[in-house]
């Protein structure tokens, strides 16, 4: 708290951004996670900050450092991320760029799991994590005025993301094709499709910072002072 806020169309607005992967422990030395550098979420937070927003940045263990001038909340697991997001309300907009692990290990061990010499691998049991985006999208009173989800897809990007938007109840979905041949995962560029109630808008391939800048301007158009 206490970062100097800039002038801009989002001055006086509070925006929550989730970013990075979550880590779900198996034991004290092992975890499962999604592949996510945190680059696009970090760029989003910086772009929203640059338009004057007060940004709360809820981040899992990402490769890239959080931007300056935002309020950073560090978490490890999906359930910690859900609780951290819960604590950020009220917000004018929420942008869910995190790659949340869909499942956590239900039989995680408090002590390091050891090979027992039998050659048998341990059996992990999974439980589904809370859907943070769907929860905020459907929260009723106190819902942010604009809720934006992200969707990394590999097959029919527009159809999958359009269905996802309706299923979750968010306002926009920022979809991208992360098939290996696109080279998007872990790269500096992104090619997105912005899906809202009117349809799908296909954007050109751009640096992640430029995607973020344009998305932040769209967000300002939706919730900003104008
Ligand atoms: N998301 C979330 N909480 C979860 C899972 C996903 O907030 N437990 C958010 C992500 O941050 C993203 C959006 O939901 O903004 C879509 O994530 P995605 O993994 O594509 O959606 P899922 O519903 O998990 O669908 P899938 O089975 O395709 O992974
Ligand atoms: Ca998922």
């Amino acid at each position: 708290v206490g970062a100097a806020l800039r002038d801009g169309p989002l001055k006086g607005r509070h925006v929550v951004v989730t970013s990075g992967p979550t880590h779900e422990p198996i034991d004290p030395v092992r975890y499962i996670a999604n592949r996510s550098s945190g680059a696009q979420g970090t760029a989003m937070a910086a772009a929203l900050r640059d338009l004057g927003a007060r940004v709360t940045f809820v981040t899992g263990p990402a490769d890239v450092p959080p931007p300056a001038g935002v309020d950073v909340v560090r978490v490890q697991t999906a359930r910690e991320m859900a609780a951290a997001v819960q604590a950020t309300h009220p917000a004018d907009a929420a942008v869910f760029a995190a790659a949340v692990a869909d499942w956590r290990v239900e039989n995680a061990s408090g002590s390091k799991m050891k090979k027992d010499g039998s050659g048998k691998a341990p059996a992990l049991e999974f439980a589904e994590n809370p859907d943070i985006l769907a929860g905020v999208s459907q929260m009723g009173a106190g819902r942010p005025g604009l809720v934006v989800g992200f969707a990394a897809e590999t097959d029919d990007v527009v159809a999958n993301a359009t269905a996802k938007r309706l299923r979750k109840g968010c306002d926009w979905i920022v979809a991208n094709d992360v098939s290996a041949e696109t080279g998007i995962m872990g790269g500096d560029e992104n090619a997105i499709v912005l899906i809202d109630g009117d349809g799908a808008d296909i954007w050109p391939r751009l640096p992640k910072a430029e995607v973020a800048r344009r998305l932040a301007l769209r967000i300002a158009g939706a919730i900003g002072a104008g």
Side-chain angles (χ1 to χ4, degrees):
V1 185
L5 299 179
R6 303 172 195 214
D7 255 327
L10 288 173
K11 195 170 173 77
R13 301 292 189 270
H14 178 213
V15 183
V16 177
V17 177
T18 71
S19 185
T22 66
H23 285 185
E24 310 294 331
I26 296 169
D27 70 11
V29 299
R30 305 182 178 95
Y31 59 85
I32 60 166
N34 280 41
R35 224 182 266 290
S36 168
S37 65
Q40 190 63 76
T42 300
M44 276 311 306
L48 292 159
R49 170 205 66 196
D50 287 347
L51 295 183
R54 176 167 75 85
V55 177
T56 304
F57 186 65
V58 180
T59 181
D63 297 341
V64 300
V70 305
D71 296 332
V72 181
V73 183
R74 291 176 200 274
V75 300
Q76 295 281 333
T77 68
R79 287 194 291 183
E80 288 169 12
M81 185 173 277
V85 167
Q86 202 76 53
T88 64
H89 298 302
D92 298 291
V95 177
F96 293 88
V100 182
D102 289 328
W103 302 282
R104 65 179 173 276
V105 179
E106 196 154 49
N107 58 342
S109 170
S111 48
K112 186 184 173 190
M113 295 164 72
K114 304 290 283 180
K115 289 173 286 187
D116 65 3
S118 72
K120 260 187 66 187
L124 299 180
E125 286 159 31
F126 291 92
E128 193 167 315
N129 273 326
D131 190 320
I132 308 164
L133 168 62
V136 170
S137 296
Q138 297 166 25
M139 69 186 269
R143 180 191 188 276
L146 181 71
V147 179
V148 181
F150 278 61
E153 306 283 349
T154 55
D155 297 302
D156 192 338
V157 175
V158 171
N160 282 336
T162 301
K164 200 166 271 180
R165 174 181 170 276
L166 293 174
R167 196 167 64 240
K168 303 217 182 213
C170 58
D171 300 297
W172 301 351
I173 286 265
V174 179
N176 62 5
D177 185 344
V178 294
S179 310
E181 62 271 19
T182 65
I184 295 281
M185 281 310 282
D188 298 331
E189 293 182 333
N190 204 353
I192 68 143
V193 182
L194 181 58
I195 290 161
D196 64 11
D198 296 328
D201 190 7
I202 299 171
W203 290 19
R205 190 176 178 117
L206 295 164
K208 285 181 175 173
E210 180 60 16
V211 170
R213 197 184 69 84
R214 293 184 189 197
L215 282 171
L217 285 169
R218 285 282 279 259
I219 291 169
I223 65 152

mmCIF file of all heavy atoms in Angstrom, residues 181-207:
data_model
loop_
_atom_site.group_PDB
_atom_site.id
_atom_site.type_symbol
_atom_site.label_atom_id
_atom_site.label_comp_id
_atom_site.label_asym_id
_atom_site.label_seq_id
_atom_site.Cartn_x
_atom_site.Cartn_y
_atom_site.Cartn_z
ATOM 1 N N GLU A 181 3.146 -25.479 -31.378
ATOM 2 C CA GLU A 181 3.637 -24.858 -32.611
ATOM 3 C C GLU A 181 3.446 -23.338 -32.629
ATOM 4 O O GLU A 181 4.083 -22.647 -33.416
ATOM 5 C CB GLU A 181 2.990 -25.504 -33.852
ATOM 6 C CG GLU A 181 1.484 -25.364 -33.955
ATOM 7 C CD GLU A 181 0.719 -26.504 -33.265
ATOM 8 O OE1 GLU A 181 1.317 -27.192 -32.419
ATOM 9 O OE2 GLU A 181 -0.471 -26.688 -33.576
ATOM 10 N N THR A 182 2.595 -22.796 -31.742
ATOM 11 C CA THR A 182 2.440 -21.331 -31.722
ATOM 12 C C THR A 182 3.614 -20.668 -31.014
ATOM 13 O O THR A 182 3.863 -19.478 -31.218
ATOM 14 C CB THR A 182 1.147 -20.897 -31.000
ATOM 15 O OG1 THR A 182 1.249 -21.262 -29.614
ATOM 16 C CG2 THR A 182 -0.089 -21.531 -31.619
ATOM 17 N N GLY A 183 4.314 -21.403 -30.141
ATOM 18 C CA GLY A 183 5.438 -20.833 -29.408
ATOM 19 C C GLY A 183 5.034 -19.773 -28.399
ATOM 20 O O GLY A 183 5.867 -19.008 -27.918
ATOM 21 N N ILE A 184 3.738 -19.719 -28.063
ATOM 22 C CA ILE A 184 3.251 -18.667 -27.155
ATOM 23 C C ILE A 184 3.700 -18.935 -25.714
ATOM 24 O O ILE A 184 4.155 -18.018 -25.023
ATOM 25 C CB ILE A 184 1.697 -18.598 -27.221
ATOM 26 C CG1 ILE A 184 1.218 -18.159 -28.608
ATOM 27 C CG2 ILE A 184 1.146 -17.712 -26.115
ATOM 28 C CD1 ILE A 184 1.299 -16.697 -28.908
ATOM 29 N N MET A 185 3.596 -20.207 -25.287
ATOM 30 C CA MET A 185 3.935 -20.540 -23.902
ATOM 31 C C MET A 185 5.379 -20.150 -23.625
ATOM 32 O O MET A 185 6.289 -20.597 -24.320
ATOM 33 C CB MET A 185 3.810 -22.044 -23.634
ATOM 34 C CG MET A 185 2.436 -22.627 -23.407
ATOM 35 S SD MET A 185 1.330 -21.884 -22.237
ATOM 36 C CE MET A 185 1.956 -22.450 -20.666
ATOM 37 N N GLY A 186 5.584 -19.303 -22.629
ATOM 38 C CA GLY A 186 6.937 -18.942 -22.229
ATOM 39 C C GLY A 186 7.602 -17.909 -23.119
ATOM 40 O O GLY A 186 8.742 -17.528 -22.874
ATOM 41 N N GLY A 187 6.900 -17.434 -24.141
ATOM 42 C CA GLY A 187 7.489 -16.462 -25.061
ATOM 43 C C GLY A 187 7.155 -15.026 -24.673
ATOM 44 O O GLY A 187 6.495 -14.765 -23.674
ATOM 45 N N ASP A 188 7.622 -14.083 -25.484
ATOM 46 C CA ASP A 188 7.421 -12.657 -25.205
ATOM 47 C C ASP A 188 6.203 -12.094 -25.914
ATOM 48 O O ASP A 188 5.850 -10.945 -25.712
ATOM 49 C CB ASP A 188 8.657 -11.849 -25.656
ATOM 50 C CG ASP A 188 9.911 -12.266 -24.901
ATOM 51 O OD1 ASP A 188 9.766 -12.706 -23.743
ATOM 52 O OD2 ASP A 188 11.006 -12.170 -25.479
ATOM 53 N N GLU A 189 5.604 -12.913 -26.772
ATOM 54 C CA GLU A 189 4.470 -12.424 -27.551
ATOM 55 C C GLU A 189 3.225 -13.231 -27.232
ATOM 56 O O GLU A 189 3.294 -14.341 -26.714
ATOM 57 C CB GLU A 189 4.770 -12.541 -29.050
ATOM 58 C CG GLU A 189 5.885 -11.614 -29.496
ATOM 59 C CD GLU A 189 6.120 -11.709 -31.000
ATOM 60 O OE1 GLU A 189 5.839 -12.763 -31.597
ATOM 61 O OE2 GLU A 189 6.587 -10.702 -31.545
ATOM 62 N N ASN A 190 2.085 -12.640 -27.574
ATOM 63 C CA ASN A 190 0.819 -13.327 -27.374
ATOM 64 C C ASN A 190 -0.105 -12.988 -28.538
ATOM 65 O O ASN A 190 -0.032 -11.893 -29.097
ATOM 66 C CB ASN A 190 0.191 -12.895 -26.039
ATOM 67 C CG ASN A 190 -0.766 -13.933 -25.479
ATOM 68 O OD1 ASN A 190 -1.070 -14.930 -26.143
ATOM 69 N ND2 ASN A 190 -1.233 -13.699 -24.284
ATOM 70 N N ALA A 191 -0.930 -13.939 -28.909
ATOM 71 C CA ALA A 191 -1.949 -13.723 -29.931
ATOM 72 C C ALA A 191 -3.270 -14.100 -29.288
ATOM 73 O O ALA A 191 -3.501 -15.274 -29.004
ATOM 74 C CB ALA A 191 -1.671 -14.583 -31.161
ATOM 75 N N ILE A 192 -4.108 -13.115 -29.028
ATOM 76 C CA ILE A 192 -5.326 -13.388 -28.247
ATOM 77 C C ILE A 192 -6.588 -13.197 -29.075
ATOM 78 O O ILE A 192 -6.581 -12.554 -30.131
ATOM 79 C CB ILE A 192 -5.404 -12.490 -26.993
ATOM 80 C CG1 ILE A 192 -5.628 -11.022 -27.380
ATOM 81 C CG2 ILE A 192 -4.175 -12.643 -26.114
ATOM 82 C CD1 ILE A 192 -6.541 -10.286 -26.435
ATOM 83 N N VAL A 193 -7.649 -13.787 -28.563
ATOM 84 C CA VAL A 193 -8.994 -13.531 -29.048
ATOM 85 C C VAL A 193 -9.766 -12.996 -27.852
ATOM 86 O O VAL A 193 -9.792 -13.642 -26.796
ATOM 87 C CB VAL A 193 -9.654 -14.820 -29.578
ATOM 88 C CG1 VAL A 193 -11.049 -14.517 -30.117
ATOM 89 C CG2 VAL A 193 -8.793 -15.467 -30.644
ATOM 90 N N LEU A 194 -10.347 -11.804 -27.986
ATOM 91 C CA LEU A 194 -11.123 -11.224 -26.883
ATOM 92 C C LEU A 194 -12.591 -11.539 -27.106
ATOM 93 O O LEU A 194 -13.174 -11.136 -28.113
ATOM 94 C CB LEU A 194 -10.896 -9.712 -26.812
ATOM 95 C CG LEU A 194 -11.639 -8.990 -25.690
ATOM 96 C CD1 LEU A 194 -11.263 -9.551 -24.321
ATOM 97 C CD2 LEU A 194 -11.349 -7.489 -25.744
ATOM 98 N N ILE A 195 -13.161 -12.274 -26.154
ATOM 99 C CA ILE A 195 -14.544 -12.712 -26.284
ATOM 100 C C ILE A 195 -15.406 -11.990 -25.260
ATOM 101 O O ILE A 195 -15.106 -12.009 -24.057
ATOM 102 C CB ILE A 195 -14.621 -14.240 -26.110
ATOM 103 C CG1 ILE A 195 -13.976 -14.897 -27.340
ATOM 104 C CG2 ILE A 195 -16.066 -14.708 -25.955
ATOM 105 C CD1 ILE A 195 -13.572 -16.315 -27.131
ATOM 106 N N ASP A 196 -16.441 -11.307 -25.756
ATOM 107 C CA ASP A 196 -17.390 -10.671 -24.849
ATOM 108 C C ASP A 196 -18.792 -11.074 -25.291
ATOM 109 O O ASP A 196 -18.947 -12.003 -26.094
ATOM 110 C CB ASP A 196 -17.187 -9.140 -24.808
ATOM 111 C CG ASP A 196 -17.467 -8.471 -26.145
ATOM 112 O OD1 ASP A 196 -18.022 -9.134 -27.063
ATOM 113 O OD2 ASP A 196 -17.131 -7.280 -26.284
ATOM 114 N N GLY A 197 -19.803 -10.389 -24.771
ATOM 115 C CA GLY A 197 -21.182 -10.762 -25.084
ATOM 116 C C GLY A 197 -21.534 -10.582 -26.548
ATOM 117 O O GLY A 197 -22.537 -11.124 -27.025
ATOM 118 N N ASP A 198 -20.730 -9.831 -27.268
ATOM 119 C CA ASP A 198 -21.031 -9.568 -28.678
ATOM 120 C C ASP A 198 -20.328 -10.506 -29.639
ATOM 121 O O ASP A 198 -20.610 -10.488 -30.836
ATOM 122 C CB ASP A 198 -20.638 -8.124 -29.040
ATOM 123 C CG ASP A 198 -21.463 -7.104 -28.274
ATOM 124 O OD1 ASP A 198 -22.635 -7.407 -27.986
ATOM 125 O OD2 ASP A 198 -20.923 -6.029 -27.945
ATOM 126 N N GLY A 199 -19.336 -11.258 -29.140
ATOM 127 C CA GLY A 199 -18.642 -12.160 -30.056
ATOM 128 C C GLY A 199 -17.153 -12.192 -29.804
ATOM 129 O O GLY A 199 -16.693 -11.856 -28.711
ATOM 130 N N ALA A 200 -16.422 -12.593 -30.839
ATOM 131 C CA ALA A 200 -14.982 -12.826 -30.700
ATOM 132 C C ALA A 200 -14.210 -11.841 -31.567
ATOM 133 O O ALA A 200 -14.501 -11.672 -32.747
ATOM 134 C CB ALA A 200 -14.650 -14.250 -31.121
ATOM 135 N N ASP A 201 -13.233 -11.175 -30.954
ATOM 136 C CA ASP A 201 -12.396 -10.196 -31.639
ATOM 137 C C ASP A 201 -10.976 -10.754 -31.711
ATOM 138 O O ASP A 201 -10.322 -10.919 -30.685
ATOM 139 C CB ASP A 201 -12.450 -8.891 -30.829
ATOM 140 C CG ASP A 201 -11.825 -7.715 -31.559
ATOM 141 O OD1 ASP A 201 -11.476 -7.875 -32.749
ATOM 142 O OD2 ASP A 201 -11.680 -6.651 -30.929
ATOM 143 N N ILE A 202 -10.512 -11.088 -32.919
ATOM 144 C CA ILE A 202 -9.194 -11.703 -33.090
ATOM 145 C C ILE A 202 -8.140 -10.609 -33.203
ATOM 146 O O ILE A 202 -8.216 -9.762 -34.096
ATOM 147 C CB ILE A 202 -9.188 -12.607 -34.342
ATOM 148 C CG1 ILE A 202 -10.217 -13.732 -34.175
ATOM 149 C CG2 ILE A 202 -7.784 -13.182 -34.574
ATOM 150 C CD1 ILE A 202 -10.459 -14.555 -35.425
ATOM 151 N N TRP A 203 -7.173 -10.637 -32.293
ATOM 152 C CA TRP A 203 -6.106 -9.624 -32.284
ATOM 153 C C TRP A 203 -4.879 -10.164 -33.013
ATOM 154 O O TRP A 203 -4.640 -11.381 -33.025
ATOM 155 C CB TRP A 203 -5.722 -9.256 -30.856
ATOM 156 C CG TRP A 203 -6.760 -8.480 -30.107
ATOM 157 C CD1 TRP A 203 -8.088 -8.375 -30.385
ATOM 158 C CD2 TRP A 203 -6.546 -7.691 -28.915
ATOM 159 N NE1 TRP A 203 -8.725 -7.580 -29.454
ATOM 160 C CE2 TRP A 203 -7.797 -7.152 -28.543
ATOM 161 C CE3 TRP A 203 -5.425 -7.404 -28.127
ATOM 162 C CZ2 TRP A 203 -7.951 -6.329 -27.419
ATOM 163 C CZ3 TRP A 203 -5.576 -6.592 -27.013
ATOM 164 C CH2 TRP A 203 -6.839 -6.055 -26.671
ATOM 165 N N PRO A 204 -4.071 -9.253 -33.552
ATOM 166 C CA PRO A 204 -2.807 -9.704 -34.154
ATOM 167 C C PRO A 204 -1.829 -10.151 -33.076
ATOM 168 O O PRO A 204 -1.986 -9.823 -31.896
ATOM 169 C CB PRO A 204 -2.287 -8.454 -34.856
ATOM 170 C CG PRO A 204 -2.887 -7.313 -34.103
ATOM 171 C CD PRO A 204 -4.235 -7.795 -33.632
ATOM 172 N N ARG A 205 -0.819 -10.890 -33.479
ATOM 173 C CA ARG A 205 0.247 -11.291 -32.559
ATOM 174 C C ARG A 205 1.066 -10.066 -32.155
ATOM 175 O O ARG A 205 1.519 -9.311 -33.002
ATOM 176 C CB ARG A 205 1.135 -12.319 -33.261
ATOM 177 C CG ARG A 205 2.119 -12.989 -32.352
ATOM 178 C CD ARG A 205 2.867 -14.058 -33.136
ATOM 179 N NE ARG A 205 3.849 -14.694 -32.289
ATOM 180 C CZ ARG A 205 3.832 -15.990 -31.965
ATOM 181 N NH1 ARG A 205 2.895 -16.783 -32.455
ATOM 182 N NH2 ARG A 205 4.756 -16.486 -31.187
ATOM 183 N N LEU A 206 1.212 -9.859 -30.844
ATOM 184 C CA LEU A 206 1.837 -8.637 -30.321
ATOM 185 C C LEU A 206 2.701 -8.986 -29.115
ATOM 186 O O LEU A 206 2.479 -10.007 -28.464
ATOM 187 C CB LEU A 206 0.749 -7.655 -29.852
ATOM 188 C CG LEU A 206 -0.196 -7.087 -30.920
ATOM 189 C CD1 LEU A 206 -1.420 -6.475 -30.259
ATOM 190 C CD2 LEU A 206 0.543 -6.059 -31.768
ATOM 191 N N PRO A 207 3.663 -8.119 -28.762
ATOM 192 C CA PRO A 207 4.370 -8.307 -27.497
ATOM 193 C C PRO A 207 3.372 -8.320 -26.330
ATOM 194 O O PRO A 207 2.359 -7.625 -26.360
ATOM 195 C CB PRO A 207 5.282 -7.077 -27.413
ATOM 196 C CG PRO A 207 5.437 -6.613 -28.823
ATOM 197 C CD PRO A 207 4.145 -6.955 -29.511
#
